[in-house]
Amino acid sequence: MIARRVNEPAEEEVPVEEPEPVEEYVPIGGPYGGELRGRLEALRELVGLSRTRLDGKTLAEAGRVLDEAAARQRLSARHTVVAIAGASGSGKSTLFNALAGTHISETGLRRPTTAAPIACSWTDGAAGLLDRLGLPGRLRRRPLPTDPNAEALQGLVLVDLPDLDSAVVEHRRQADRVLALVDAVVWVVDPEKYADAVLHERYLRPLAGHAEVTFVVLNQVDRLPGDAADQVLDDLRRLLDEDGMALGEHGEPGATVVSLSALTGQGVGELRDLLSRFVQERGAPERRVAADLDAAAAGLRPVYVADGRTGLDERAREAFTDRLAAAVGAAAAGEAAEREWRRNAGRACGTPWLRLWRWYERIRIPGRESPLPTPPPEEEVTARQRVEQAVRLVAEEAANGLPAPWAQAVREAAVRGAEGLPQALDELAVRAELERGTSPRPAWWPAAVLVQAAMTLVQIVGGLWLVGQIVGVLQPGLLVPALVMLAGIVGGPLVEWACGVAARGPGRRYGQEAERRLREAAAGCGRAKVLDPVAAELMRYREVREQYVAVRGGGAGVRAGVS
């Protein structure tokens, strides 16, 4: 290596190091304007809302884009940083020197030739940009004062990168670091490696969204005979199209593709003119930030865009209420209330003899008509399982179609809210029973009691009449007292039956009302403990989804509904 260095020809021209800036740079000035400003603010809000739901790795790229956008905004707007990148042997250093008009970057057959990024600035005031790239002063150059093309490239900061396929890992790491910070990239390919898989799969395809700040240069066309250069250039365009990179043809925005020979100078002037117009537009920094935003948004799409319409509709809410009502026994409580109503009706309108018999039964078998039997342990377990199943089903319904992090957040909110729900429902059932108390009686019950008393009196009169005739106190005539007594005997049960029929409607309504109250109480408890926390998570997802739509710039296919 020492012998080779000694035998290398001496450089004809000495590179000029960049002096300290003599004039202040002009920053972009305040926040970015227009749509880009709104997208950056939306991304910042999106990251803030998502920190408690997404891990740092998922949000790392979005945070990097925000940091780099803010850093670039604080630096010079008069300069455009363009990197020249390519594989080993593509001639990028030769092209760098041809554009600079002097020998700045080392060239030769030894690989790798470029060991570190080297920059050339045509205008003062780029020190801040080069500091951001991490380039020390010894790697900063200026073109010769006698360069006739210096005026055309005012504002350009050109950076020659190490080989992308270098065998030295540190070289590739430096190239990747600088590529993430520059405003535009000139990709240099040669006729032998223009279809290299590393270049297309690792760089061009992932950066397809950066087409507007991309130049693709087919170098060394002087080595191709006849129309072979056009054929290779057409094949290169085809590969770029397969990579998803739009080509800026026919006045449309996209990547610029040119062919040249850096060694002979063929086509270099055309590329210099393209770069000159590109730099004078001063739109590359914002376009680069916009492209980085697009890439970050595309990477975040799986965690923000739902698969179809999500959320809880009325059907799901009603199903949840039905399951809680079944768990708390609302239907059974309503049936018990109806039976109690009808039982009280039978007691009030029954014959005295039947009430006397029931009184005897209560004395003989205490607790026979206990209104609230204690449920067995297996029934309590079944009710608890029903509550857990109801919560699990409504959580799955709410999380259906949501991106994985937000679906998990919805399930966790439902599970947290379900803690203590079975006990709360048990308390509701007991409270509802106590508040219900004794079933009320309709207005016609006193009249029914009087009629029943009259039937009893008729029985007694008829019986005494018969007894009086039998003992001879009254004149014999069994037919009339027998009919009177029979009327009382038949009339009493008949009145009791009629009262039972009349009590069915009010009893049913009373039971339905008891069931409704318990069902509404269970629904309110489930809503406060489960549905409201789930709705809060869905609302948070709706907020982040709207922010994501703003980051994408209202892209199609993003507005998935949430109810």
Side-chain angles (χ1 to χ4, degrees):
M1 291 182 63
I2 295 174
R4 183 179 301 170
R5 296 288 292 182
V6 170
N7 293 330
E8 288 180 352
E11 297 179 353
E12 296 181 357
E13 299 177 89
V14 179
V16 179
E17 294 190 5
E18 181 188 27
E20 292 297 323
V22 296
E23 57 181 273
E24 296 182 358
Y25 68 86
V26 180
I28 291 177
Y32 292 98
E35 182 183 2
L36 181 58
R37 175 182 179 180
R39 293 180 63 191
L40 287 171
E41 292 178 351
L43 181 61
R44 188 173 294 106
E45 184 70 18
L46 180 67
V47 171
L49 290 173
S50 305
R51 290 194 186 279
T52 59
R53 296 294 179 267
L54 303 179
D55 55 70
K57 184 178 180 181
T58 303
L59 299 173
E61 180 61 17
R64 187 197 70 81
V65 170
L66 289 172
D67 293 341
E68 297 303 336
R72 183 62 181 91
Q73 183 272 329
R74 291 191 295 267
L75 298 175
S76 173
R78 297 188 299 108
H79 293 80
T80 301
V81 184
V82 180
I84 297 183
S88 59
S90 61
K92 54 184 178 57
S93 296
T94 304
L95 178 60
F96 178 83
N97 292 334
L99 292 172
T102 183
H103 189 88
I104 294 179
S105 185
E106 183 180 358
T107 62
L109 297 178
R110 180 172 58 87
R111 299 289 181 262
T113 303
T114 305
I118 187 169
C120 180
S121 174
W122 273 257
T123 312
D124 295 336
L129 291 169
L130 297 176
D131 290 341
R132 178 170 175 252
L133 298 181
L135 270 66
R138 61 185 176 83
L139 297 176
R140 304 179 187 185
R141 303 289 187 270
R142 293 292 299 274
L144 294 175
T146 59
D147 183 8
N149 301 308
E151 185 66 25
L153 297 179
Q154 291 294 309
L156 175 63
V157 179
L158 200 61
V159 182
D160 185 21
L161 299 181
D163 297 337
L164 300 177
D165 57 351
S166 174
V168 182
V169 177
E170 180 60 25
H171 294 181
R172 300 199 303 269
R173 185 179 296 114
Q174 289 188 60
D176 292 343
R177 178 182 60 81
V178 176
L179 282 174
L181 301 176
V182 296
D183 301 325
V185 182
V186 176
W187 298 97
V188 182
V189 299
D190 61 78
E192 295 178 351
K193 293 185 178 181
Y194 73 92
D196 183 58
V198 174
L199 174 66
H200 288 270
E201 294 178 5
R202 185 178 177 185
Y203 294 101
L204 295 181
R205 193 169 300 166
L207 294 174
H210 295 67
E212 292 189 45
V213 291
T214 299
F215 295 81
V216 181
V217 173
L218 176 61
N219 193 16
Q220 304 176 10
V221 293
D222 56 304
R223 298 167 47 194
L224 300 175
D227 60 351
D230 293 334
Q231 295 178 3
V232 173
L233 194 62
D234 290 340
D235 195 43
L236 175 59
R237 289 192 177 98
R238 178 188 61 81
L239 292 174
L240 294 174
D241 185 65
E242 292 178 356
D243 292 335
M245 182 169 290
L247 302 181
E249 299 177 327
H250 311 293
E252 298 177 355
T256 302
V257 182
V258 297
S259 61
L260 53 80
S261 173
L263 186 63
T264 65
Q266 175 188 350
V268 175
E270 178 187 355
L271 178 61
R272 183 182 294 109
D273 293 339
L274 291 172
L275 288 175
S276 176
R277 290 195 295 269
F278 182 77
V279 171
Q280 298 309 316
E281 290 175 358
R282 297 187 179 179
E286 292 193 2
R287 277 183 279 180
R288 173 59 195 258
V289 171
D292 288 344
L293 269 176
D294 291 339
L300 292 174
R301 181 182 176 86
V303 297
Y304 287 115
V305 179
D307 183 13
R309 188 174 182 83
T310 58
L312 290 176
D313 54 14
E314 288 301 321
R315 178 193 57 79
R317 296 174 186 273
E318 285 297 325
F320 179 64
T321 300
D322 291 341
R323 295 187 185 100
L324 290 186
V328 80
E335 293 174 358
E338 180 180 355
R339 288 195 300 270
E340 181 183 1
W341 173 283
R342 297 177 65 177
R343 184 168 58 248
N344 290 339
R347 290 173 180 174
C349 303
T351 61
W353 323 116
L354 182 59
R355 280 184 283 176
L356 185 62
W357 172 256
R358 288 172 178 167
W359 173 77
Y360 171 72
E361 287 291 325
R362 287 196 299 271
I363 294 177
R364 188 170 65 89
I365 308 177
R368 182 176 179 179
E369 297 183 2
S370 177
L372 289 174
T374 303
E378 57 271 15
E379 291 186 8
E380 294 181 356
V381 173
T382 302
R384 182 179 296 273
Q385 291 175 345
R386 286 180 177 178
V387 172
E388 293 175 353
Q389 183 185 25
V391 173
R392 184 170 59 255
L393 290 176
V394 76
E396 290 299 326
E397 183 76 15
N400 184 34
L402 285 175
W406 306 101
Q408 182 63 25
V410 166
R411 296 189 187 97
E412 291 176 356
V415 171
R416 288 194 302 269
E419 296 176 359
L421 182 58
Q423 294 84 349
L425 292 176
D426 291 341
E427 295 176 0
L428 280 178
V430 174
R431 190 183 308 117
E433 184 67 27
L434 294 177
E435 291 176 354
R436 183 163 56 86
T438 305
S439 57
R441 298 179 179 181
W444 50 264
W445 279 15
V449 172
L450 289 177
V451 173
Q452 193 66 266
M455 292 298 102
T456 303
L457 183 61
V458 169
Q459 292 180 44
I460 295 174
V461 170
L464 292 176
W465 195 347
L466 285 176
V467 171
Q469 290 182 351
I470 292 172
V471 299
V473 176
L474 300 175
Q475 294 182 356
L478 297 178
L479 181 59
V480 175
L483 291 176
V484 171
M485 185 175 180
L486 181 61
I489 294 173
V490 174
L494 184 62
V495 171
E496 183 177 2
W497 174 81
C499 290
V501 172
R504 288 178 184 175
R508 186 178 301 108
R509 289 190 294 272
Y510 180 75
Q512 291 174 348
E513 180 64 19
E515 179 182 357
R516 183 191 64 78
R517 287 197 300 267
L518 187 54
R519 176 187 174 89
E520 290 181 352
C525 185
R527 182 170 55 254
K529 287 184 170 292
V530 177
L531 294 184
D532 287 349
V534 167
E537 288 298 329
L538 291 174
M539 178 63 70
R540 179 185 290 270
Y541 169 70
R542 183 184 293 110
E543 292 176 358
V544 299
R545 184 209 59 194
E546 292 299 330
Q547 293 298 330
Y548 179 75
V549 172
V551 172
R552 287 294 302 269
V558 180
R559 298 181 182 278
V562 175
S563 62

